[in-house]
Amino acid sequence: MKKIFYYDIPLDSGSQLLPLDINFNFGPFIKHMDSVLQDGTMRISDGYTKTLKRIKEEGVLTKPFPDLSFVMNHLDDIEELMQPVFPEILTNNEIKGIILPFAECIFNPTARLTKILQSAGDKSNIQFEVDESANPYIGACIMILNMMYGAGIDFAKLYHFKIKDQETGITRYFRSLINADFARLVPTPEAPSLTPDEIELLKSNLNDVDLWMEKIPPKSYVFEGVGILNLLDVTRERQESMIKNLLLKNDVLDDPSLIEELIELLGSYLLVPDLNIGLVAYDDDTDITKPLGFGLWQSILLKDDEEACSFQQ
């Protein structure tokens, strides 16, 4: 049976005040495929045409649904319906699945994404990371500006998935890109009509939650649809940045927890999960090496000999 994968998120999504309500719905995708069939902009097989007709006649996937029990009971129909954007020929290459906003789950994953998620073993090893500067209310508002006003604000860099392989201990990082082409926003009576100047003001104040709540009040829109999640592997880029930032800390060589973090990062970067490192200080004036920091001699070459050693010996 197809599986739903859950992940940890550092936000209490259930209690978050948002500028929109969520209605999960495959209706926008079905409407899109109807349009494609009518104008002939995409080659659709007879088999898929029959599948789409059956799903529309049954009417189950054309209506909003409130929770994941619905998804669990209709995974096969969902897979058949979404086949045009999840072609079998690309399933081993694309890291893609369906995501429900603020629902903390991924389903209908490609074979490549399935392999990555299965390697994690359990939910605790699949973490959705949010940059410290990202606020969920502002993130939802940015989605509104992009979808309703074409603001073109790129905020994908603020959201990553951190997935740890349970067996190897190697951690990989993925930037999350969410395609909202098969979703729509329905304005409520609370929805504002923003001017270009107001949009520019918001774009210039991406951390001012009060301003965003003033310009786009809670429950301004209803989100209807689903999102297509694409993951981009940025492991090397992210690890290099994290290692550099860690080494720039003043107390990195005196703090055992930071050293432990450094070893783990280097192990993941070099694909050596059981990596061990040793650090020594070199005194240029006396031309000797000596123990450094919090008992960090551990020299492989010097066999833990803590006596000072000249580089010229």
Side-chain angles (χ1 to χ4, degrees):
M1 184 178 180
K2 308 297 186 302
K3 189 173 182 182
I4 293 179
F5 292 91
Y6 297 89
Y7 54 87
D8 278 337
I9 190 169
L11 304 170
D12 181 7
S13 59
S15 63
Q16 286 293 331
L17 183 65
L18 296 172
L20 45 77
D21 287 329
I22 307 291
N23 278 343
F24 306 134
N25 195 345
F26 287 97
F29 180 77
I30 293 172
K31 184 177 180 180
H32 172 81
M33 294 309 301
D34 272 339
S35 176
V36 167
L37 286 172
Q38 290 175 10
D39 59 28
T41 55
M42 182 187 300
R43 293 184 64 127
I44 303 295
S45 69
D46 291 340
Y48 183 78
T49 302
K50 292 177 181 178
T51 295
L52 185 62
K53 181 180 179 181
R54 173 181 61 81
I55 287 174
K56 287 168 56 181
E57 289 175 348
E58 292 174 351
V60 178
L61 295 184
T62 61
K63 303 173 184 177
F65 57 95
D67 55 45
L68 294 178
S69 62
F70 175 91
V71 174
M72 289 294 295
N73 293 329
H74 298 89
L75 281 174
D76 290 335
D77 281 344
I78 291 171
E79 181 183 26
E80 289 186 52
L81 174 65
M82 302 301 293
Q83 189 274 331
V85 290
F86 289 86
E88 186 67 25
I89 195 171
L90 297 177
T91 191
N92 291 311
N93 298 95
E94 294 186 332
I95 312 175
K96 185 161 69 173
I98 299 176
I99 194 168
L100 303 178
F102 306 100
E104 303 170 26
C105 72
I106 301 169
F107 61 98
N108 200 54
T110 59
R112 186 176 178 190
L113 179 54
T114 297
K115 184 177 180 180
I116 292 170
L117 295 174
Q118 286 179 336
S119 72
D122 57 51
K123 174 182 175 180
S124 64
N125 288 327
I126 307 172
Q127 298 179 6
F128 184 64
E129 291 195 321
V130 180
D131 188 273
E132 292 180 357
S133 63
N135 177 280
Y137 193 96
I138 293 177
C141 285
I142 289 175
M143 182 176 69
I144 290 171
L145 289 187
N146 286 345
M147 292 179 67
M148 300 300 294
Y149 295 91
I153 304 174
D154 179 13
F155 60 112
K157 63 183 179 180
L158 300 177
Y159 303 98
H160 289 79
F161 274 92
K162 175 182 176 182
I163 303 175
K164 184 175 182 178
D165 188 306
Q166 191 176 45
E167 292 187 8
T168 66
I170 300 295
T171 298
R172 298 168 69 183
Y173 298 87
F174 301 85
R175 181 173 297 167
S176 61
L177 308 171
I178 300 177
N179 184 330
D181 287 350
F182 310 122
R184 64 186 175 217
L185 290 175
V186 180
T188 71
E190 303 297 324
S193 179
L194 299 176
T195 66
D197 287 342
E198 288 176 312
I199 293 173
E200 287 302 315
L201 177 65
L202 290 171
K203 291 169 69 174
S204 300
N205 293 274
L206 292 176
N207 296 316
D208 191 338
V209 180
D210 292 335
L211 175 64
W212 283 81
M213 292 185 69
E214 174 191 339
K215 296 299 182 181
I216 308 178
K219 299 184 181 297
S220 292
Y221 291 87
V222 176
F223 175 95
E224 294 187 352
V226 296
I228 307 299
L229 174 70
N230 288 273
L231 296 183
L232 176 65
D233 193 334
V234 293
T235 301
R236 302 291 284 182
E237 169 191 326
R238 184 73 182 277
Q239 288 171 335
E240 288 175 1
S241 176
M242 293 171 71
I243 290 171
K244 290 177 182 177
N245 289 336
L246 192 60
L247 290 174
L248 287 173
K249 293 185 177 181
N250 292 330
D251 57 348
V252 62
L253 299 179
D254 295 312
D255 188 329
S257 64
L258 292 180
I259 289 296
E260 192 71 27
E261 184 180 349
L262 177 62
I263 293 173
E264 182 178 347
L265 279 171
L266 288 172
S268 292
Y269 184 77
L270 299 172
L271 300 180
V272 183
D274 57 350
L275 177 72
N276 192 15
I277 65 173
L279 301 172
V280 297
Y282 172 64
D283 189 326
D284 187 50
D285 293 330
T286 59
D287 185 34
I288 61 172
T289 58
K290 55 187 178 182
L292 174 70
F294 195 85
L296 298 173
W297 183 260
Q298 297 178 12
S299 172
I300 297 173
L301 293 177
L302 300 177
K303 305 299 182 184
D304 294 326
D305 183 359
E306 295 192 9
E307 293 184 6
C309 174
S310 169
F311 267 109
Q312 298 180 12
Q313 289 180 339

